[in-house]
Amino acid sequence: MDPALLKEREAFKKRALAQPAVEKKRKAEDKSSGHKFKKRSKPTPKPKDEPAVSHFNYKSSAGSSQYKFGVLAKIVKHMKVRHQRGDTYPLTIDEILDETAQLDVGHKLKLWLTTEALANNPKIEVLDGNTYAFKPKYNITTRKSLIKLLNKHDQRGLGGILFEDVEESLPHVEKALKLLGDQIIIITRPIDKKKVLYYNDKSYLFTVDEDFQKLWRSVPVDGTDERKIEEYLEKQGISSMQDVGGKTVIAQKRKKGGSRKKGNFKKLNDHLEGILQDYSQP
């Protein structure tokens, strides 16, 4: 080999050894500090807390109006049923709550029942200050009292009594009506299909002569207007009953809207008098 090349080679080695080995140190530092700077794992998301189950007792809440009136409605219904069953003796508030299976009501609700709800209810009667009984529409307890009430209505011209009111007032009403038989007339109203009880006054029962019945039935009135029948009777000098049929409503003619009159409006632009011009007239 050329000695000149060997000298250059030796000089290059010396220069290379003289320079500091920076790259090796960095690699060594990276290896030594690798265990210190490890990648942090992402924190596992914590499960959301489930909503706590509320142990709110709606029965003990004084502000639950729906529950309050539900208790009241149950009491009134029970008092009505026991009255129809024949149990007309009064009960205390504790006995009522026991029979309606509502002994778990709170003190505030119980106080509200005794001081306000039951005392002011039209279907509950307070007796001796601390006992309660059902208050029906009519004070009837026997068949005789029912006949007496219907007879009084008939004599006063009040007509009949609704079956639902009698059913509410008289215990065992179905049995009583069967025993009364033809002493009572039951008619179903065509408007609302409600039954109405009337007193059957047998003093009005009389026989009509057959000749009069034939004359009555011989008059043809089918398809004849009630107004024409009334006019015919008036011509014959016979007055008819008034306000029997429905009133006929006469349609009123609408007035045609005329031209509006010009009102005297107050002028507020007097300071422009002489400048403005009126173009309303042609």
Side-chain angles (χ1 to χ4, degrees), residues 2 17 19 26 33 51 85 167 175 195 198 214 220 222 252 259 272:
D2 190 3
L17 293 173
Q19 292 180 355
R26 284 182 180 176
S33 60
R85 200 169 55 224
E167 184 183 21
K175 183 179 179 180
K195 295 181 180 180
Y198 293 90
K214 290 178 180 179
D222 294 339
Q252 296 181 355
S259 59
L272 299 175

Side-chain angles (χ1 to χ4, degrees), residues 234-245:
E234 288 178 356
K235 289 179 181 179
Q236 302 299 323
I238 301 173
S239 61
S240 60
M241 295 179 63
Q242 301 295 326
D243 298 334
V244 176

Side-chain angles (χ1 to χ4, degrees), residues 13 26 60 84 136 177 191 241 282:
K13 285 182 178 181
R26 284 182 180 176
S60 61
Q84 293 173 337
L177 293 178
I191 302 173
M241 295 179 63

Side-chain angles (χ1 to χ4, degrees), residues 72 112-126 129 132:
L72 177 61
W112 175 74
L113 288 171
T114 53
T115 57
E116 295 182 25
L118 295 177
N120 299 325
N121 195 287
K123 292 298 180 182
I124 299 296
E125 185 178 5
V126 183
Y132 305 91

Side-chain angles (χ1 to χ4, degrees):
M1 181 178 277
D2 190 3
L5 292 175
L6 292 173
K7 287 181 180 180
E8 289 180 5
R9 183 180 174 221
E10 293 296 330
F12 175 76
K13 285 182 178 181
K14 288 180 181 180
R15 287 195 303 269
L17 293 173
Q19 292 180 355
V22 180
E23 293 181 359
K24 291 182 179 180
K25 290 183 179 180
R26 284 182 180 176
K27 291 181 180 179
E29 288 177 0
D30 292 341
K31 290 181 180 180
S32 61
S33 60
H35 66 280
K36 294 182 180 180
F37 300 98
K38 289 182 179 179
K39 291 183 179 180
R40 294 182 179 178
S41 59
K42 293 182 179 180
T44 55
K46 294 182 179 179
K48 294 182 179 180
D49 296 335
E50 296 181 357
V53 180
S54 60
H55 299 283
F56 177 72
N57 187 5
Y58 71 96
K59 292 184 177 181
S60 61
S61 174
S64 179
S65 59
Q66 184 177 1
Y67 171 68
K68 286 167 59 176
F69 287 102
V71 172
L72 177 61
K74 192 174 182 179
I75 290 174
V76 175
K77 184 179 180 180
H78 173 73
M79 298 297 286
K80 177 182 177 180
V81 170
R82 67 184 297 274
H83 178 84
Q84 293 173 337
R85 200 169 55 224
D87 299 333
T88 57
Y89 57 89
L91 298 174
T92 62
I93 185 63
D94 293 328
E95 291 172 342
I96 293 173
L97 294 175
D98 186 17
E99 291 188 2
T100 56
Q102 298 183 110
L103 289 173
D104 55 346
V105 299
H107 176 71
K108 290 184 179 180
L109 179 55
K110 187 176 178 181
L111 185 64
W112 175 74
L113 288 171
T114 53
T115 57
E116 295 182 25
L118 295 177
N120 299 325
N121 195 287
K123 292 298 180 182
I124 299 296
E125 185 178 5
V126 183
L127 303 173
D128 298 331
N130 59 352
T131 55
Y132 305 91
F134 183 71
K135 186 178 180 181
K137 188 171 183 178
Y138 300 105
N139 187 17
I140 49 176
T141 55
T142 60
R143 301 191 304 273
K144 292 182 179 179
S145 58
L146 175 60
I147 288 292
K148 187 177 180 181
L149 178 64
L150 291 173
N151 188 13
K152 187 183 293 184
H153 266 64
D154 183 64
Q155 294 295 331
R156 294 179 179 178
L158 300 176
I161 300 175
L162 287 173
F163 172 75
E164 59 186 21
D165 294 335
V166 177
E167 184 183 21
E168 178 187 277
S169 306
L170 180 62
H172 309 292
V173 62
E174 296 290 347
K175 183 179 179 180
L177 293 178
K178 286 181 180 180
L179 293 174
L180 289 173
D182 60 349
Q183 298 183 51
I184 294 177
I185 300 174
I186 303 175
I187 296 176
T188 303
R189 292 193 307 197
I191 302 173
D192 51 8
K193 305 299 181 182
K194 289 186 177 181
K195 295 181 180 180
V196 185
L197 305 183
Y198 293 90
Y199 175 69
N200 188 11
D201 193 352
K202 296 182 180 180
S203 62
Y204 294 120
L205 299 177
F206 57 92
T207 57
V208 181
D209 190 19
E210 292 184 1
D211 294 334
F212 185 77
Q213 293 181 21
K214 290 178 180 179
L215 289 172
W216 178 268
R217 292 168 183 168
S218 64
V219 179
V221 293
D222 294 339
T224 308
D225 189 11
E226 293 183 0
R227 182 69 61 84
K228 294 181 180 180
I229 297 174
E230 185 178 350
E231 291 175 357
Y232 177 78
L233 292 175
E234 288 178 356
K235 289 179 181 179
Q236 302 299 323
I238 301 173
S239 61
S240 60
M241 295 179 63
Q242 301 295 326
D243 298 334
V244 176
K247 296 182 180 179
T248 56
V249 180
I250 301 173
Q252 296 181 355
K253 294 182 179 180
R254 291 185 178 181
K255 295 181 179 180
K256 294 182 179 180
S259 59
R260 295 184 179 179
K261 295 181 179 180
K262 295 182 179 180
N264 295 324
F265 296 101
K266 190 175 181 180
K267 294 181 179 180
L268 301 176
N269 51 2
D270 295 336
H271 61 287
L272 299 175
E273 188 175 358
I275 300 175
L276 299 177
Q277 295 182 8
D278 188 5
Y279 293 95
S280 61
Q281 295 180 359

